[in-house]
Amino acid sequence: MKRWPINHLTAEDLDAFHSASLSDEMREHLAECEECRTMAELDRMVLDGLAALPALAPREGFADRVIAAAHQAPPARSPRLAPSGRARWIRLAAAASVVVSLGASITWSLLNRDLLLSWIHLSTAEPGRLLWLGVRVVATNLTAQPWYSSLRELVSSPGRLVAVVSGSLVVYGAALAALRRLLTPPSRPVPHALG
Amino acid sequence: MAEPPGDLRAATDQEVVAIARRRDEAACRELVRRYERPIFSLIFRMVRNRELAEDLAQETFIKALNALESYRPEYKFSSWLFKIANNAAIDHLRKRELDTLSLEGSPHADTPQLVEATALQIGEKAETALEAVEHKELGGEIERAIARLRPEYRTCILLRHVEGRAYEEIAEILNLPLGTVKTYIHRARNELRIALAHLKQ
């Protein structure tokens, strides 16, 4: 059965053409369509040309240089060296200072429990209050806008709400498709851009 | 270069790698011997500068030989090696832009010796003088057209149609979805067809 509308050769068809496994339908199309025939022949020339590209060789002695450099290069995972005497003392001092600071902090917290609780209360309550105030300011500002009543009217019934949301989605989808089309590189030469 | 023992030549990549992991020099040499041309060719066609390509190829092999412990034998050794080579080339291209290919030598070569050293050799497979000219013409045009491709298209087309790697293997080497690899290859072929259309006429 013929495909309708007429489909020119796709990338997969081209691969099939080169491996002599093109479908009868596309073979018939190829016999009739000069554009596809030219494309297939050009593609064949490109692939033949690529396959005929020579394997390039580095200069003589490449392997010797690699082996010599590989022996000199540090191993991928070097063993961890034991710390020197001075480094060990520095590490011990650092660990001791952390332990002392931690102990002092715990002792102070236990002795000043009430003060600490009041700080915690203040630090958690204040941001929450500010956030709520911000929400109220934004909401008040919104309802004071001249277009707010017409917007509310527009989405007042579920039917209208659905229509508005669907319309927005369609516009969004169309914009995305248009953007994608704009960003896709042209598959054929653009005559006015060839200079 | 010393010839590797006959049994190493006949061994599979995995067998040679297993020996090379014990820091056996002959096995390491054998791995370099097997892949120096494909790795150098790929990198050279990516960066288009002979000396730089040789440095990056050397870096690739050194990294690979020093990291054989981390190589997982369930994957093809060649895929792993091509991955290291491609990363080296792409890292370099990100740092520096080289955008013109010269069959007569690197555009950065400023002495006759450097020009000769960086010139691209084409036509080694030709048998007669006429074939050599034809190959050089088509080969030169293709090299130039490849050089104008985006680096990701270039790697894909070289691995597929010069190195003969399967789509799935290229996806593995480049860490790309299979569909993306196919798209890149077909777009690259499309650009090459456009670039070489005048030869057909």
Coordinates of all heavy atoms in Angstrom, one line a residue, chain B residues 78-163:
Chain B
S78 N 38.1 -0.9 23.8 CA 38.2 0.2 22.8 C 37.2 1.3 23.1 O 37.6 2.5 22.9 CB 38.0 -0.4 21.4 OG 36.7 -1.0 21.3
S79 N 36.0 1.0 23.6 CA 35.1 2.0 23.9 C 35.6 2.9 25.1 O 35.5 4.1 25.1 CB 33.8 1.4 24.4 OG 33.2 0.6 23.4
W80 N 36.2 2.2 26.0 CA 36.8 2.9 27.2 C 37.9 3.9 26.8 O 38.0 5.0 27.2 CB 37.3 1.9 28.2 CG 37.8 2.4 29.5 CD1 37.1 3.0 30.5 CD2 39.1 2.3 30.0 NE1 37.9 3.3 31.5 CE2 39.1 2.9 31.3 CE3 40.3 1.8 29.5 CZ2 40.3 3.0 32.0 CZ3 41.5 1.9 30.3 CH2 41.4 2.5 31.5
L81 N 38.7 3.3 25.9 CA 39.9 4.1 25.4 C 39.4 5.3 24.5 O 39.9 6.4 24.7 CB 40.8 3.2 24.5 CG 42.2 3.7 24.3 CD1 42.9 3.9 25.7 CD2 43.0 2.6 23.5
F82 N 38.4 5.1 23.7 CA 37.9 6.2 22.8 C 37.2 7.2 23.7 O 37.2 8.4 23.4 CB 36.8 5.6 21.8 CG 37.5 5.1 20.6 CD1 37.4 3.8 20.2 CD2 38.2 6.0 19.7 CE1 38.0 3.4 19.0 CE2 38.8 5.6 18.6 CZ 38.7 4.3 18.2
K83 N 36.6 6.8 24.8 CA 36.0 7.7 25.8 C 37.0 8.6 26.4 O 36.9 9.9 26.4 CB 35.3 6.9 26.9 CG 34.4 7.8 27.8 CD 33.7 6.9 28.8 CE 32.3 7.2 28.8 NZ 31.5 6.3 29.5
I84 N 38.1 8.1 26.8 CA 39.2 8.9 27.4 C 39.8 9.8 26.3 O 40.0 11.0 26.6 CB 40.4 8.0 27.9 CG1 39.8 7.1 29.0 CG2 41.5 8.8 28.4 CD1 40.9 6.0 29.5
A85 N 39.9 9.3 25.1 CA 40.5 10.2 24.0 C 39.5 11.3 23.6 O 39.9 12.4 23.5 CB 40.7 9.3 22.7
N86 N 38.2 11.0 23.6 CA 37.3 12.0 23.2 C 37.2 13.1 24.3 O 37.2 14.3 24.0 CB 35.9 11.4 23.0 CG 34.8 12.4 22.7 OD1 34.9 13.1 21.7 ND2 33.9 12.6 23.6
N87 N 37.3 12.6 25.6 CA 37.3 13.6 26.7 C 38.5 14.6 26.6 O 38.3 15.8 26.8 CB 37.3 12.9 28.0 CG 35.9 12.3 28.3 OD1 34.9 12.6 27.7 ND2 35.9 11.4 29.3
A88 N 39.6 14.0 26.2 CA 40.8 14.8 26.1 C 40.7 15.8 25.0 O 41.0 17.0 25.2 CB 42.0 13.9 25.9
A89 N 40.1 15.4 23.9 CA 40.0 16.3 22.7 C 39.0 17.4 23.0 O 39.2 18.5 22.7 CB 39.6 15.5 21.5
I90 N 37.8 16.9 23.6 CA 36.8 17.9 23.9 C 37.2 18.9 24.9 O 37.0 20.1 24.8 CB 35.5 17.2 24.3 CG1 34.9 16.4 23.2 CG2 34.4 18.2 24.9 CD1 34.3 17.2 22.1
D91 N 37.9 18.4 25.9 CA 38.5 19.4 27.0 C 39.4 20.4 26.3 O 39.3 21.6 26.6 CB 39.3 18.6 28.0 CG 38.4 17.9 29.0 OD1 37.2 18.1 29.0 OD2 38.9 17.1 29.8
H92 N 40.2 19.9 25.4 CA 41.1 20.9 24.7 C 40.3 21.9 23.9 O 40.6 23.1 23.9 CB 42.1 20.1 23.8 CG 42.9 21.1 23.0 ND1 44.0 21.8 23.6 CD2 42.7 21.6 21.8 CE1 44.4 22.6 22.6 NE2 43.7 22.5 21.6
L93 N 39.3 21.4 23.1 CA 38.5 22.3 22.3 C 37.8 23.3 23.1 O 37.5 24.4 22.6 CB 37.6 21.5 21.4 CG 38.2 20.6 20.3 CD1 37.1 19.8 19.6 CD2 38.9 21.5 19.3
R94 N 37.4 22.9 24.3 CA 36.7 23.9 25.1 C 37.6 25.0 25.6 O 37.2 26.1 25.7 CB 36.1 23.2 26.4 CG 34.8 22.4 26.1 CD 34.2 22.0 27.3 NE 33.1 21.1 27.0 CZ 32.9 19.9 27.6 NH1 33.6 19.5 28.5 NH2 31.9 19.1 27.2
K95 N 38.9 24.6 25.8 CA 39.8 25.6 26.2 C 40.3 26.5 25.1 O 40.5 27.7 25.3 CB 41.1 24.9 26.8 CG 40.8 24.3 28.2 CD 42.1 23.7 28.7 CE 41.7 22.6 29.8 NZ 42.8 21.6 29.9
R96 N 40.3 25.9 23.9 CA 40.9 26.7 22.8 C 40.1 26.4 21.5 O 39.8 25.3 21.3 CB 42.3 26.3 22.7 CG 43.1 27.0 21.6 CD 44.5 26.5 21.7 NE 45.2 26.8 20.4 CZ 46.4 26.3 20.1 NH1 47.0 25.4 20.8 NH2 46.9 26.7 18.9
E97 N 39.9 27.5 20.8 CA 39.1 27.2 19.6 C 40.1 27.2 18.4 O 40.8 28.1 18.1 CB 38.1 28.4 19.3 CG 36.7 28.0 19.5 CD 35.8 29.1 19.3 OE1 35.8 29.7 18.2 OE2 35.0 29.4 20.2
L98 N 40.0 26.0 17.7 CA 40.8 25.9 16.4 C 39.7 25.7 15.3 O 39.0 24.7 15.4 CB 41.6 24.6 16.5 CG 42.8 24.7 17.5 CD1 43.4 23.3 17.6 CD2 43.9 25.6 17.0
D99 N 39.6 26.6 14.4 CA 38.5 26.5 13.5 C 38.8 26.3 12.0 O 38.0 26.3 11.2 CB 37.5 27.6 13.7 CG 38.2 28.9 13.7 OD1 39.4 28.9 13.4 OD2 37.6 29.9 14.1
T100 N 40.1 26.2 11.7 CA 40.4 26.1 10.3 C 41.3 24.9 10.1 O 42.2 24.7 10.8 CB 41.0 27.3 9.7 OG1 42.1 27.7 10.5 CG2 40.1 28.4 9.5
L101 N 40.9 24.1 9.1 CA 41.8 22.9 8.8 C 42.6 23.3 7.6 O 42.1 23.9 6.6 CB 40.9 21.7 8.4 CG 41.6 20.6 7.7 CD1 42.5 19.8 8.7 CD2 40.6 19.6 7.1
S102 N 43.9 22.9 7.6 CA 44.7 23.2 6.4 C 45.3 21.8 6.0 O 46.0 21.2 6.8 CB 45.8 24.2 6.8 OG 46.7 24.2 5.7
L103 N 45.1 21.5 4.8 CA 45.8 20.2 4.3 C 47.2 20.5 4.1 O 48.0 19.6 4.0 CB 45.2 19.8 3.0 CG 43.7 19.4 3.0 CD1 43.2 19.1 1.6 CD2 43.5 18.2 3.9
E104 N 47.6 21.8 4.1 CA 49.0 22.2 3.9 C 49.7 22.4 5.2 O 50.9 22.7 5.2 CB 49.0 23.5 3.0 CG 48.6 23.3 1.6 CD 47.0 23.3 1.5 OE1 46.4 24.0 2.3 OE2 46.5 22.6 0.7
G105 N 49.0 22.2 6.3 CA 49.7 22.3 7.6 C 48.8 23.2 8.5 O 47.9 23.8 8.1
S106 N 49.1 23.1 9.8 CA 48.3 23.8 10.8 C 48.4 25.3 10.6 O 49.4 25.9 10.2 CB 48.9 23.5 12.2 OG 48.4 24.5 13.1
P107 N 47.3 26.0 10.8 CA 47.3 27.5 10.6 C 48.2 28.1 11.7 O 48.6 29.3 11.6 CB 45.8 27.9 10.8 CG 45.2 26.7 11.5 CD 46.0 25.5 11.1
H108 N 48.5 27.4 12.7 CA 49.4 27.9 13.8 C 50.9 27.6 13.6 O 51.7 28.1 14.3 CB 49.0 27.3 15.2 CG 47.5 27.6 15.4 ND1 47.0 28.7 15.9 CD2 46.4 26.8 15.2 CE1 45.7 28.7 16.0 NE2 45.3 27.5 15.6
A109 N 51.2 26.9 12.5 CA 52.6 26.6 12.2 C 53.2 27.8 11.6 O 52.7 28.3 10.6 CB 52.6 25.4 11.2
D110 N 54.3 28.2 12.2 CA 55.0 29.5 11.7 C 56.4 29.2 11.1 O 57.1 30.2 10.7 CB 55.0 30.6 12.7 CG 55.4 30.1 14.1 OD1 56.0 28.9 14.1 OD2 55.2 30.8 15.1
T111 N 56.8 28.0 11.0 CA 58.1 27.7 10.3 C 57.8 26.6 9.3 O 56.8 25.8 9.5 CB 59.1 27.2 11.3 OG1 58.7 25.9 11.8 CG2 59.3 28.1 12.5
P112 N 58.6 26.5 8.3 CA 58.4 25.4 7.2 C 58.4 24.0 7.8 O 57.7 23.2 7.4 CB 59.6 25.6 6.3 CG 60.1 27.0 6.5 CD 59.7 27.4 7.9
Q113 N 59.2 23.8 8.9 CA 59.3 22.5 9.5 C 58.0 22.2 10.2 O 57.5 21.0 10.1 CB 60.4 22.4 10.6 CG 61.8 22.5 10.0 CD 62.3 23.9 9.6 OE1 61.7 24.9 9.9 NE2 63.3 23.9 8.8
L114 N 57.4 23.2 10.9 CA 56.2 22.9 11.6 C 55.0 22.7 10.6 O 54.1 21.9 10.8 CB 55.8 24.2 12.4 CG 56.2 24.0 13.9 CD1 55.8 25.3 14.7 CD2 55.5 22.8 14.5
V115 N 55.1 23.5 9.5 CA 54.1 23.3 8.4 C 54.1 21.9 7.9 O 53.0 21.3 7.8 CB 54.3 24.3 7.3 CG1 53.4 24.0 6.1 CG2 54.0 25.8 7.7
E116 N 55.3 21.4 7.7 CA 55.4 20.0 7.1 C 54.9 19.0 8.2 O 54.2 18.1 7.9 CB 56.8 19.7 6.7 CG 57.0 18.5 5.9 CD 58.4 18.1 5.6 OE1 59.3 19.0 5.7 OE2 58.6 17.0 5.1
A117 N 55.3 19.3 9.4 CA 55.0 18.3 10.5 C 53.5 18.3 10.8 O 52.9 17.3 11.1 CB 55.7 18.7 11.8
T118 N 52.8 19.4 10.5 CA 51.3 19.5 10.8 C 50.5 19.2 9.6 O 49.2 19.3 9.7 CB 51.0 20.8 11.5 OG1 51.3 21.8 10.6 CG2 51.6 21.0 12.8
A119 N 51.1 19.0 8.4 CA 50.3 18.8 7.2 C 49.5 17.4 7.3 O 50.1 16.5 7.8 CB 51.2 18.8 6.0
L120 N 48.3 17.5 6.8 CA 47.5 16.3 6.8 C 47.9 15.4 5.7 O 48.0 15.8 4.5 CB 46.0 16.7 6.7 CG 44.9 15.8 6.9 CD1 45.1 15.1 8.3 CD2 43.6 16.5 6.8
Q121 N 48.1 14.1 6.0 CA 48.5 13.1 4.9 C 47.3 12.4 4.4 O 46.6 11.8 5.2 CB 49.5 12.1 5.5 CG 50.8 12.7 6.1 CD 51.6 13.5 5.1 OE1 51.8 13.0 4.0 NE2 52.0 14.7 5.4
I122 N 47.0 12.6 3.1 CA 45.9 11.9 2.5 C 46.3 11.1 1.3 O 47.2 11.5 0.6 CB 44.9 13.0 2.1 CG1 44.3 13.7 3.3 CG2 43.7 12.5 1.3 CD1 43.5 14.9 3.0
G123 N 45.6 10.0 1.1 CA 45.9 9.3 -0.2 C 46.7 8.1 0.0 O 47.2 7.5 -0.9
E124 N 46.9 7.7 1.3 CA 47.8 6.5 1.5 C 47.2 5.2 1.0 O 47.9 4.3 0.7 CB 48.0 6.3 3.1 CG 48.9 7.3 3.6 CD 49.0 7.2 5.1 OE1 48.6 6.2 5.7 OE2 49.5 8.2 5.7
K125 N 45.8 5.2 0.8 CA 45.2 4.0 0.4 C 45.2 3.9 -1.2 O 44.8 2.9 -1.7 CB 43.8 3.9 0.9 CG 43.7 3.5 2.4 CD 42.3 3.4 2.8 CE 42.2 3.0 4.3 NZ 40.8 3.1 4.8
A126 N 45.5 5.0 -1.8 CA 45.4 5.0 -3.3 C 46.4 4.1 -3.9 O 47.5 4.0 -3.4 CB 45.5 6.5 -3.8
E127 N 46.1 3.6 -5.1 CA 47.0 2.6 -5.7 C 47.7 3.3 -6.9 O 48.9 3.0 -7.1 CB 46.2 1.4 -6.2 CG 45.8 0.5 -5.0 CD 44.8 -0.5 -5.3 OE1 44.4 -0.6 -6.5 OE2 44.3 -1.1 -4.4
T128 N 47.0 4.1 -7.7 CA 47.7 4.7 -8.8 C 47.7 6.2 -8.6 O 47.1 6.7 -7.7 CB 46.9 4.4 -10.1 OG1 45.6 5.1 -9.9 CG2 46.6 2.9 -10.3
A129 N 48.5 6.8 -9.5 CA 48.7 8.3 -9.4 C 47.3 9.0 -9.5 O 47.0 9.9 -8.8 CB 49.6 8.8 -10.4
L130 N 46.5 8.5 -10.5 CA 45.2 9.1 -10.8 C 44.3 8.9 -9.5 O 43.6 9.8 -9.1 CB 44.5 8.4 -12.0 CG 43.2 9.0 -12.4 CD1 43.3 10.5 -12.7 CD2 42.6 8.2 -13.5
E131 N 44.3 7.7 -9.0 CA 43.5 7.4 -7.8 C 43.9 8.3 -6.7 O 43.1 8.8 -5.9 CB 43.6 5.9 -7.4 CG 42.7 5.1 -8.2 CD 42.9 3.6 -7.9 OE1 43.8 3.3 -7.1 OE2 42.1 2.8 -8.4
A132 N 45.3 8.5 -6.6 CA 45.8 9.3 -5.5 C 45.2 10.7 -5.6 O 44.8 11.3 -4.6 CB 47.3 9.3 -5.6
V133 N 45.2 11.2 -6.8 CA 44.7 12.6 -7.0 C 43.2 12.6 -6.7 O 42.7 13.5 -5.9 CB 44.9 13.0 -8.5 CG1 44.2 14.4 -8.8 CG2 46.4 13.2 -8.8
E134 N 42.4 11.6 -7.2 CA 41.0 11.6 -6.9 C 40.7 11.5 -5.4 O 39.9 12.2 -4.8 CB 40.3 10.4 -7.6 CG 40.2 10.7 -9.1 CD 39.7 9.5 -9.9 OE1 39.7 8.4 -9.3 OE2 39.5 9.7 -11.1
H135 N 41.5 10.5 -4.8 CA 41.3 10.3 -3.3 C 41.7 11.6 -2.6 O 41.0 12.0 -1.6 CB 42.2 9.2 -2.8 CG 41.5 7.9 -2.9 ND1 40.9 7.2 -1.9 CD2 41.4 7.0 -4.0 CE1 40.4 6.1 -2.3 NE2 40.7 5.9 -3.6
K136 N 42.8 12.2 -3.0 CA 43.2 13.4 -2.3 C 42.2 14.5 -2.4 O 41.9 15.2 -1.5 CB 44.5 13.9 -2.9 CG 45.2 15.0 -2.1 CD 46.7 15.1 -2.4 CE 47.3 16.1 -1.4 NZ 48.7 16.0 -1.4
E137 N 41.5 14.6 -3.6 CA 40.5 15.6 -3.8 C 39.3 15.4 -2.9 O 38.9 16.2 -2.1 CB 40.1 15.7 -5.3 CG 39.2 16.9 -5.6 CD 38.6 16.8 -7.0 OE1 38.9 15.9 -7.7 OE2 37.8 17.7 -7.3
L138 N 38.7 14.1 -3.0 CA 37.6 13.8 -2.2 C 37.9 13.8 -0.7 O 37.2 14.3 0.1 CB 37.0 12.4 -2.6 CG 35.8 11.9 -1.8 CD1 34.6 12.9 -1.9 CD2 35.4 10.5 -2.3
G139 N 39.1 13.1 -0.4 CA 39.5 13.1 1.0 C 39.7 14.5 1.5 O 39.3 14.7 2.7
G140 N 40.4 15.3 0.8 CA 40.6 16.7 1.2 C 39.3 17.4 1.5 O 39.2 18.1 2.5
E141 N 38.4 17.3 0.5 CA 37.1 18.0 0.7 C 36.4 17.4 1.9 O 35.8 18.2 2.7 CB 36.2 17.7 -0.6 CG 36.7 18.4 -1.8 CD 36.3 19.9 -1.8 OE1 35.6 20.3 -0.9 OE2 36.8 20.6 -2.7
I142 N 36.4 16.1 2.1 CA 35.7 15.5 3.3 C 36.4 16.0 4.6 O 35.7 16.4 5.5 CB 35.7 14.0 3.2 CG1 34.7 13.6 2.2 CG2 35.4 13.4 4.6 CD1 34.4 12.1 2.1
E143 N 37.7 16.0 4.6 CA 38.5 16.5 5.8 C 38.0 17.9 6.1 O 37.8 18.3 7.3 CB 40.0 16.4 5.6 CG 40.5 15.0 5.5 CD 40.7 14.3 6.8 OE1 40.2 14.7 7.8 OE2 41.4 13.2 6.7
R144 N 38.0 18.7 5.1 CA 37.6 20.1 5.3 C 36.2 20.2 5.8 O 35.9 21.0 6.7 CB 37.8 20.9 4.0 CG 39.1 21.6 3.8 CD 39.2 22.5 2.6 NE 39.3 21.7 1.4 CZ 40.5 21.4 0.8 NH1 41.6 21.7 1.4 NH2 40.5 20.6 -0.3
A145 N 35.3 19.4 5.2 CA 33.9 19.5 5.6 C 33.7 19.0 7.0 O 32.9 19.5 7.8 CB 33.0 18.6 4.7
I146 N 34.5 17.9 7.4 CA 34.4 17.4 8.8 C 34.9 18.5 9.7 O 34.3 18.7 10.8 CB 35.3 16.1 8.9 CG1 34.7 15.0 8.2 CG2 35.5 15.8 10.4 CD1 35.6 13.7 8.1
A147 N 35.9 19.2 9.3 CA 36.5 20.2 10.2 C 35.5 21.4 10.5 O 35.6 22.0 11.5 CB 37.7 20.8 9.5
R148 N 34.5 21.5 9.6 CA 33.5 22.6 9.8 C 32.3 22.1 10.6 O 31.5 22.9 11.0 CB 33.1 23.1 8.5 CG 34.1 24.1 7.8 CD 33.5 24.8 6.6 NE 33.2 23.9 5.5 CZ 34.0 23.6 4.5 NH1 35.2 24.2 4.5 NH2 33.7 22.8 3.5
L149 N 32.3 20.8 10.9 CA 31.1 20.3 11.7 C 31.3 20.7 13.2 O 32.4 21.0 13.7 CB 31.1 18.8 11.7 CG 30.8 18.1 10.4 CD1 30.9 16.6 10.5 CD2 29.3 18.5 9.9
R150 N 30.2 20.8 13.9 CA 30.3 21.0 15.4 C 31.0 19.8 16.0 O 30.9 18.7 15.5 CB 28.8 21.0 16.0 CG 28.1 22.3 15.7 CD 26.6 22.2 15.9 NE 26.3 21.7 17.2 CZ 25.1 21.5 17.7 NH1 24.1 21.9 17.0 NH2 24.9 21.1 18.9
P151 N 31.8 20.1 17.1 CA 32.6 19.0 17.6 C 31.8 17.7 18.0 O 32.3 16.6 17.7 CB 33.2 19.6 18.9 CG 33.2 21.1 18.6 CD 32.1 21.4 17.7
E152 N 30.6 17.9 18.5 CA 29.9 16.7 18.9 C 29.4 15.9 17.6 O 29.4 14.7 17.7 CB 28.7 17.0 19.8 CG 27.7 18.0 19.2 CD 28.1 19.5 19.6 OE1 29.3 19.8 19.6 OE2 27.1 20.2 19.9
Y153 N 29.1 16.6 16.5 CA 28.8 15.9 15.3 C 30.0 15.2 14.7 O 30.0 14.1 14.2 CB 28.3 16.9 14.2 CG 26.9 17.5 14.5 CD1 26.2 17.3 15.6 CD2 26.4 18.4 13.5 CE1 25.0 17.9 15.8 CE2 25.1 19.0 13.7 CZ 24.4 18.7 14.8 OH 23.2 19.3 15.0
R154 N 31.2 15.9 14.9 CA 32.4 15.4 14.3 C 32.8 14.1 15.0 O 33.1 13.1 14.3 CB 33.5 16.5 14.6 CG 34.5 16.6 13.5 CD 35.6 17.6 13.9 NE 35.1 18.9 14.1 CZ 35.7 19.9 14.7 NH1 36.9 19.7 15.2 NH2 35.2 21.1 14.9
T155 N 32.7 14.1 16.3 CA 33.1 12.8 17.0 C 32.2 11.7 16.6 O 32.6 10.6 16.3 CB 32.9 13.0 18.6 OG1 33.3 14.3 18.9 CG2 33.6 12.0 19.3
C156 N 30.9 12.0 16.5 CA 29.9 11.0 16.2 C 30.2 10.4 14.8 O 30.2 9.2 14.6 CB 28.5 11.5 16.2 SG 27.9 11.7 17.9
I157 N 30.4 11.3 13.8 CA 30.5 10.8 12.4 C 31.8 10.1 12.3 O 31.9 9.1 11.5 CB 30.4 12.0 11.4 CG1 30.1 11.5 10.0 CG2 31.7 12.8 11.3 CD1 28.6 11.4 9.7
L158 N 32.9 10.5 13.0 CA 34.2 9.8 12.9 C 34.1 8.5 13.5 O 34.6 7.5 12.9 CB 35.3 10.7 13.6 CG 35.7 12.0 12.9 CD1 36.6 12.8 13.8 CD2 36.4 11.7 11.5
L159 N 33.5 8.4 14.6 CA 33.4 7.1 15.3 C 32.5 6.1 14.5 O 32.8 4.9 14.3 CB 32.8 7.2 16.7 CG 33.7 7.8 17.7 CD1 33.0 8.1 19.0 CD2 34.9 6.8 18.0
R160 N 31.4 6.6 13.9 CA 30.5 5.8 13.1 C 31.1 5.4 11.8 O 31.1 4.2 11.4 CB 29.2 6.5 13.0 CG 28.1 5.7 12.1 CD 27.5 4.6 12.9 NE 26.7 3.8 12.1 CZ 26.9 2.5 11.8 NH1 28.0 1.9 12.2 NH2 26.1 1.8 11.0
H161 N 31.5 6.3 11.0 CA 31.8 6.0 9.6 C 33.3 6.0 9.2 O 33.6 5.6 8.1 CB 31.1 7.1 8.7 CG 29.6 6.9 8.7 ND1 28.9 5.8 8.3 CD2 28.6 7.8 9.2 CE1 27.6 6.0 8.5 NE2 27.4 7.1 9.0
V162 N 34.1 6.4 10.2 CA 35.6 6.2 9.9 C 36.1 5.0 10.8 O 36.7 4.1 10.3 CB 36.4 7.5 10.2 CG1 37.8 7.2 10.0 CG2 35.9 8.6 9.4
E163 N 35.6 5.0 12.0 CA 36.1 3.9 12.9 C 35.1 2.7 12.9 O 35.5 1.6 13.4 CB 36.2 4.4 14.4 CG 37.2 5.5 14.6 CD 38.6 5.1 14.1 OE1 39.0 3.9 14.1 OE2 39.4 6.0 13.6

